[in-house]
């Protein structure tokens, strides 16, 4: 059975149960393969990690990495704080999960920056991509996503019971408890990746806009350098990656775009949102 094609079926994309079920079916075979391969298997077959701030284009970038030659996708995902429980995993547990990824596998992840994660990625020669976005767009998008789209997320019931978008935005900003804290506490643990020399950092605004070609070429160059080869036809590969991008195939996509956080907010509300997110805006290079 071709699990890669099955995972792309529209009915599977819309069903978290089916998506997670496919990932579980693949797990035993992946674990057996991992035990059979040594460090040398990763030398020219690096795994590709698509790490991100939540709601920043994870699946868009996954569509790109899946279109690179020789890459395989097993529908796996690693998160520091899984959505169902939001209990933060210990650094050593995350390191084990990272180390279990197979040669040439690409996967999505929401990984806080840590010394343990960096070491685990280096240990398997991973190509680590980190995509990020204006924190104001992230928070506004998250408020909608948790209230309307992800019914399996621990926070869904808390967002869904609120009667209007402003109250949902306030919950996304102020948080609820230790597992869903104030917005900057959720975003800032990712910011260290921007200073990591082994991370290829990509702004969502660039890869989704006029700078798309240059960002895709950065990915092509990083991948070919890591695999020890050269793209036979760089322009053809660029076109293939552009063609692979289809936001409509993402189960988390609503409308995308940049700067849409302002829509529906008064000037005073927009200023208050910006001021509360000031630490994250500065950390990720936004104004």
């Amino acid at each position: 059975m071709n699990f890669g094609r099955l995972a792309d079926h529209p009915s599977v994309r819309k069903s978290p149960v089916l998506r997670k079920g496919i990932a579980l079916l693949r797990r035993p075979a992946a674990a057996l393969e991992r035990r059979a391969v040594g460090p040398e298997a990763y030398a020219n077959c690096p795994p590709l990690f698509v790490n991100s701030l939540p709601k920043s284009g994870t699946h868009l970038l996954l569509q790109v990495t899946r279109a690179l030659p020789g890459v395989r996708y097993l529908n796996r995902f690693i998160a520091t704080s899984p959505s169902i429980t939001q209990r933060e995993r210990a650094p050593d547990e995350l390191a084990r999960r990272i180390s279990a990824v197979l040669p040439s596998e690409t996967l999505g992840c929401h990984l806080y920056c840590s010394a343990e994660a960096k070491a685990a990625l280096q240990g398997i020669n991973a190509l680590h991509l980190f995509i990020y976005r204006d924190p104001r767009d992230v928070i506004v998008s998250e408020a909608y996503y948790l209230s309307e789209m992800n019914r399996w997320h621990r926070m869904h019931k808390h967002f869904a019971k609120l009667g209007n978008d402003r109250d949902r935005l306030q919950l996304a900003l102020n948080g609820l408890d230790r597992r869903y804290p104030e917005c900057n506490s959720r975003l800032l643990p990712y910011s260290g990746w921007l200073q990591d020399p082994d991370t290829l950092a990509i702004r969502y605004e660039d890869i989704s806009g006029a700078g798309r070609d240059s960002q895709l070429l950065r990915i092509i160059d990083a991948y070919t350098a890591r695999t020890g080869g050269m793209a036979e036809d760089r322009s053809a590969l660029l076109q293939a990656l552009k063609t692979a991008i289809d936001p409509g195939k993402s189960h988390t996509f609503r409308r995308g775009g940049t700067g849409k956080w302002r829509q529906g907010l008064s000037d005073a509300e927009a200023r208050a949102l910006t001021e509360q997110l000031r630490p994250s805006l500065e950390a990720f290079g936004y104004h």
Side-chain angles (χ1 to χ4, degrees), residues 55-282:
K55 307 310 301 169
S56 294
T58 319
H59 292 88
L60 180 152
L61 194 52
L62 262 176
Q63 290 174 340
V64 171
T65 59
R66 290 180 62 184
L68 289 166
V71 171
R72 53 180 166 170
Y73 177 61
L74 304 181
N75 207 42
R76 297 203 280 186
F77 199 96
I78 302 174
T80 297
S81 179
S83 61
I84 293 178
T85 65
Q86 290 196 298
R87 294 186 185 278
E88 187 171 331
R89 287 175 168 141
D92 59 341
E93 180 187 351
L94 286 169
R96 287 195 300 271
R97 289 176 179 267
I98 292 169
S99 298
V101 173
L102 298 173
S104 299
E105 181 182 353
T106 190
L107 73 162
C109 50
H110 296 322
L111 291 173
Y112 293 168
C113 186
S114 69
E116 293 86 354
K118 290 179 184 179
L121 290 166
Q122 292 171 354
I124 55 173
N125 189 37
L127 176 56
H128 179 233
L129 311 179
F130 176 69
I131 187 167
Y132 62 104
R133 185 184 188 188
D134 187 322
R136 291 164 295 197
D137 278 315
V138 168
I139 293 300
V140 170
S141 179
E142 181 175 276
Y144 179 86
Y145 175 72
L146 293 180
S147 62
E148 301 291 340
M149 297 182 72
N150 189 347
R151 287 165 171 76
W152 293 84
H153 196 287
R154 173 181 173 261
M155 287 300 298
H156 169 69
K157 61 183 179 182
H158 299 287
F159 277 89
K161 71 182 181 183
L162 298 175
N164 58 72
D165 290 342
R166 282 178 169 78
D167 287 344
R168 292 173 185 136
L169 178 57
Q170 288 305 307
L171 177 56
L173 285 168
N174 299 324
L176 177 71
D177 54 20
R178 182 176 57 84
R179 285 188 273 169
Y180 189 76
E182 188 268 347
C183 54
N184 292 292
S185 296
R186 302 196 308 271
L187 301 181
L188 288 173
Y190 294 93
S191 63
W193 292 120
L194 297 184
Q195 285 74 51
D196 178 38
D198 294 323
T199 294
L200 183 63
I202 299 168
R203 281 169 40 111
Y204 172 84
E205 292 83 357
D206 293 335
I207 199 168
S208 66
R212 174 172 291 179
D213 285 12
S214 64
Q215 297 305 309
L216 293 178
L217 288 171
R218 291 177 67 213
I219 295 170
I220 290 171
D221 291 342
Y223 179 65
T224 53
R226 191 64 62 91
T227 57
M230 295 293 292
E232 293 183 5
D233 189 335
R234 198 163 174 256
S235 60
L237 183 52
L238 173 62
Q239 186 57 46
L241 300 191
K242 290 167 66 175
T243 301
I245 296 174
D246 183 355
K249 289 185 176 181
S250 168
H251 65 277
T252 66
F253 179 78
R254 177 168 66 114
R255 61 179 181 177
T258 61
K260 293 185 176 180
W261 62 269
R262 297 180 180 86
Q263 295 180 0
L265 298 180
S266 67
D267 289 344
E269 288 170 331
R271 286 194 297 271
L273 174 65
T274 296
E275 284 309 307
Q276 184 160 350
L277 280 165
R278 182 68 62 192
S280 294
L281 289 167
E282 293 177 354

